C-alpha cells in the first residue's frame, strides 16, 4: 500500500476539466469496451467536472443551476465507475470516487458504505482513509472528535502503510485553514507545522506555503511550495502559488514556466484565475515601467510573457501595441491594437492609438471605418465623433467633418464646440 500513490497519479491525470478529454475518453471506451481503466478514467473526469460545475462556495451561495450541472456530471461519473467495478470488483479507486460523490450529495450512509467496501479490500489504503477524513470534517457534517477517532483507529494499519500517520495531522491542518480564512496567518503557520510533525504531506506544505505568501515571506513560501511539488508533482494550484513567490523573488523566467505548465495541465482550474491575473498584471506593470524608460525591447518581451499567462488581457495588447508604435513597428502595433479592440470593442484608448497608427500613412478611410465600428457600439460617444471628424477633415470631406463636430458638440464635447465657433459654424 505504500506505492498506492502511483496509481493515484495515474488516474488523477483524468481529474481535469479539459474539454478535449471527453471525446478522447469516449474514443478509448469505444475501442476497448472491456477495459476497466478506460471506464474508471471517464468516471474520474466526470467527477472532476461535477466539482468544477458546483464551485467551491457554500451551498447557500451556490445557484440551483450549478447544482443541476453538478448532478448531470455526477450521474455520468457514477455510470462509468460502476461499469469499471463490474469489470474489476476490487478496484478501490472506483469506491473512492463513489464515496466522494455521495459526500457531495450529503449522503453519509452511502459514503460510509463505499468506504467500508474499499477498506475490506485494502484496509491500509491511505487514499480511502484520507477521503473519509474529508467527509468527517465539520463543514461536511462531521466533527473534529470523529476525525481524531478515525485517525487513531487507522493507526492499527500504520505498520503496513506508514503514510497513515499523516491522518493524525488533519485536524490541525483544517484548523489552520480556518485560521487562514480569518487572516490569522501566524496561527495558521503554527497549525500547519503541527500537522507536518505527523509526516510530510503535500497538502500540508502547500497550505503552509500559501500562509507564508500571505505574510509576504516569499522565501519560505517558495521552500514549502517546492516541498509540496516534490511529493505530489504538477498540481496546478501549487504551481500558481509557487509562481507568485518566484516573481516576488525576481525569478521571472521560472515563474513563467510554472504558470504556463499549470495552464496546460488544467486550464479550467478556477483557483488559477486570480493567480494568472496577478502574475500577468505583475509582468504588465514591469513592462510598462520599461516602456516609460524607452527600453522598448525589454517592455515588448515582458508584455509577451504577460500574454503567455493571460492571453485575454486586452490592456496588455494595447500597451504592447503602443510600444511597437513607439519602436517604429506599425504593422505589429496595428495587430496588437486590433486584438485589444476585438477583446474589448468599447476600448476607446485602443481605437485612439490605432487611429494614430493609421494616420502616420494617411489611411483616412481606415480611420473612418474604425470609428464607424466603434460608434455602432457607442452611438452617443462624443469623443468618437470628434476623432472621426478629424479623419474626415484630413480626407477633405468638410461637410462630414462639420456634421460630426456638431454631433460631438451636442453630446457635450467642449473642444468640438470651440472648433465650430472658430469656423463660425452654428452647432
Amino acid at each position: 500500500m505504500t506505492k498506492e500513490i502511483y496509481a493515484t497519479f495515474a488516474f488523477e491525470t483524468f481529474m481535469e476539466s479539459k474539454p478535449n478529454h471527453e471525446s478522447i475518453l469516449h474514443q478509448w471506451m469505444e475501442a476497448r469496451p472491456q477495459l476497466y481503466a478506460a471506464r474508471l478514467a471517464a468516471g474520474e473526469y466526470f467527477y472532476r467536472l461535477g466539482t468544477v460545475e458546483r464551485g467551491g462556495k457554500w451551498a447557500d451561495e451556490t445557484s440551483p443551476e450549478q447544482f443541476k450541472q453538478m448532478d448531470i456530471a455526477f450521474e455520468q461519473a457514477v455510470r462509468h465507475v460502476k461499469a469499471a467495478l463490474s469489470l474489476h470488483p476490487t478496484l478501490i479507486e472506483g469506491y473512492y470516487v463513489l464515496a466522494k460523490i455521495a459526500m457531495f450529495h450529503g449522503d453519509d450512509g452511502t459514503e460510509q458504505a463505499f468506504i467500508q467496501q474499499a477498506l475490506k479490500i485494502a484496509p491500509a489504503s491511505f487514499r480511502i482513509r484520507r477521503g473519509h477524513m474529508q467527509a468527517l470534517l465539520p463543514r461536511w457534517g462531521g466533527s473534529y472528535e470523529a476525525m481524531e477517532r478515525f485517525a487513531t483507529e487507522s493507526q492499527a494499519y500504520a505498520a503496513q502503510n506508514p503514510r497513515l500517520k499523516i491522518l493524525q495531522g488533519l485536524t490541525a491542518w483544517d484548523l489552520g485553514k480556518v485560521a487562514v480564512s480569518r487572516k490569522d496567518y501566524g496561527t495558521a503557520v503554527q497549525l500547519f507545522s503541527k500537522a507536518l510533525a505527523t509526516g510530510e504531506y503535500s497538502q500540508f506544505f502547500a497550505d503552509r506555503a500559501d500562509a507564508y505568501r500571505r505574510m509576504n515571506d516569499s522565501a519560505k513560501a517558495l521552500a514549502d511550495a517546492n516541498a509540496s511539488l516534490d511529493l505530489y508533482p504538477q498540481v496546478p494550484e501549487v504551481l500558481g502559488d509557487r509562481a507568485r513567490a518566484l516573481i516576488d523573488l525576481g525569478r521571472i523566467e521560472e515563474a513563467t514556466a510554472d504558470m504556463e505548465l499549470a495552464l496546460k495541465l488544467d486550464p479550467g482550474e478556477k483557483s488559477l484565475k486570480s493567480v494568472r491575473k496577478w502574475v500577468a498584471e505583475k509582468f504588465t506593470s514591469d513592462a510598462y515601467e520599461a516602456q516609460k524608460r524607452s527600453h522598448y525591447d525589454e517592455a515588448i518581451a515582458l508584455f509577451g510573457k504577460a500574454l503567455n499567462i493571460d492571453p485575454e488581457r486586452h490592456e496588455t495588447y494595447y500597451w504592447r501595441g503602443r510600444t511597437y508604435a513607439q519602436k517604429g513597428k506599425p504593422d505589429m502595433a496595428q495587430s496588437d491594437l486590433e486584438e485589444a479592440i476585438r477583446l474589448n470593442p468599447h476600448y476607446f484608448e485602443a481605437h485612439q492609438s490605432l487611429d494614430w497608427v493609421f494616420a502616420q500613412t494617411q489611411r483616412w478611410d481606415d480611420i473612418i471605418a474604425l470609428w464607424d465600428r466603434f460608434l455602432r457600439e457607442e452611438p452617443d460617444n462624443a469623443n468618437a465623433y470628434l476623432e472621426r471628424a478629424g479623419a474626415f477633415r484630413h480626407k477633405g470631406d468638410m461637410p462630414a467633418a462639420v456634421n460630426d463636430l456638431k454631433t460631438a458638440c451636442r453630446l457635450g464635447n467642449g473642444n468640438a464646440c470651440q472648433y465650430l465657433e472658430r469656423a463660425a459654424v452654428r452647432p
Side-chain angles (χ1 to χ4, degrees), residues 212-240:
Y212 277 133
R213 180 186 62 78
R214 293 169 187 269
M215 296 169 69
N216 298 316
D217 193 335
S218 300
K220 289 182 178 178
L222 176 59
D224 273 358
N226 283 336
S228 178
L229 290 165
D230 284 344
L231 291 166
Y232 206 103
Q234 299 191 350
V235 178
E237 185 176 2
V238 183
L239 286 166

Side-chain angles (χ1 to χ4, degrees), residues 3 34 55 64 71 75 82 118 171 177 200 241 281 286 309 321 356 362:
K3 294 184 179 180
Q34 296 303 308
D71 286 338
E75 284 173 8
K82 287 186 173 180
T171 297
K177 296 282 284 184
E200 294 190 344
D241 282 342
E281 285 178 350
D286 290 347
I309 299 301
W356 184 88
Q362 300 183 4

Side-chain angles (χ1 to χ4, degrees), residues 3-262:
K3 294 184 179 180
E4 70 174 333
I5 192 169
Y6 300 128
T8 299
F9 286 158
F11 284 109
E12 281 198 349
T13 300
F14 299 96
M15 270 195 187
E16 298 174 359
S17 52
K18 290 182 179 179
N20 65 323
H21 271 186
E22 187 169 345
S23 61
I24 293 171
L25 288 165
H26 278 303
Q27 292 173 24
W28 190 15
M29 288 185 289
E30 287 176 4
R32 303 289 299 276
Q34 296 303 308
L35 187 66
Y36 78 86
R39 287 288 192 170
L40 180 58
E44 300 270 11
Y45 169 80
F46 283 109
Y47 162 66
R48 170 61 173 162
L49 182 62
T51 65
V52 170
E53 293 289 357
R54 185 205 180 281
K57 295 183 178 179
W58 295 100
D60 58 1
E61 298 175 328
T62 304
S63 70
E65 180 62 23
Q66 286 175 284
F67 280 119
K68 178 182 175 182
Q69 294 303 318
M70 178 192 79
D71 286 338
I72 290 172
F74 280 171
E75 284 173 8
Q76 295 189 70
V78 169
R79 177 166 60 84
H80 289 301
V81 170
K82 287 186 173 180
L85 286 168
S86 71
L87 296 167
H88 190 332
T90 60
L91 188 63
I92 64 168
E93 180 67 16
Y95 293 113
Y96 172 86
V97 175
L98 294 176
K100 298 291 279 187
I101 290 172
M103 182 191 78
F104 271 95
H105 283 142
D107 189 344
D108 295 342
T110 300
E111 187 272 340
Q112 290 181 30
F114 285 132
I115 291 295
Q116 290 306 315
Q117 283 180 277
L119 290 177
K120 285 179 182 178
I121 300 165
S125 168
F126 175 81
R127 183 159 175 80
I128 295 298
R129 290 181 179 276
R130 170 65 181 88
H132 184 52
M133 287 285 281
Q134 183 177 358
L136 294 176
L137 287 167
R139 58 181 167 275
W140 287 103
S143 67
Y144 290 131
E145 291 76 13
M147 290 177 67
E148 294 284 1
R149 186 164 53 251
F150 184 72
T152 300
E153 292 170 0
S154 298
Q155 299 315 300
Y157 300 95
Q160 298 176 49
N161 188 353
R163 295 189 77 217
L164 292 176
K165 295 176 183 178
I166 293 169
L167 298 179
Q168 298 176 104
L170 287 173
T171 297
W173 164 76
D174 191 63
L175 288 168
K177 296 282 284 184
V178 172
V180 168
S181 71
R182 295 173 178 168
K183 300 184 179 181
D184 186 358
Y185 306 129
T187 299
V189 165
Q190 292 176 4
L191 288 163
F192 293 141
S193 298
K194 181 179 179 181
L196 280 163
T198 65
E200 294 190 344
Y201 184 43
S202 59
Q203 189 67 60
F204 297 164
F205 278 119
D207 286 316
R208 192 171 68 175
D210 176 65
Y212 277 133
R213 180 186 62 78
R214 293 169 187 269
M215 296 169 69
N216 298 316
D217 193 335
S218 300
K220 289 182 178 178
L222 176 59
D224 273 358
N226 283 336
S228 178
L229 290 165
D230 284 344
L231 291 166
Y232 206 103
Q234 299 191 350
V235 178
E237 185 176 2
V238 183
L239 286 166
D241 282 342
R242 186 168 72 175
R244 281 182 168 177
L246 287 166
I247 283 187
D248 284 341
L249 295 169
R251 295 161 65 174
I252 306 298
E253 295 296 332
E254 293 168 87
T256 304
D258 272 357
M259 280 305 304
E260 289 177 349
L261 175 59

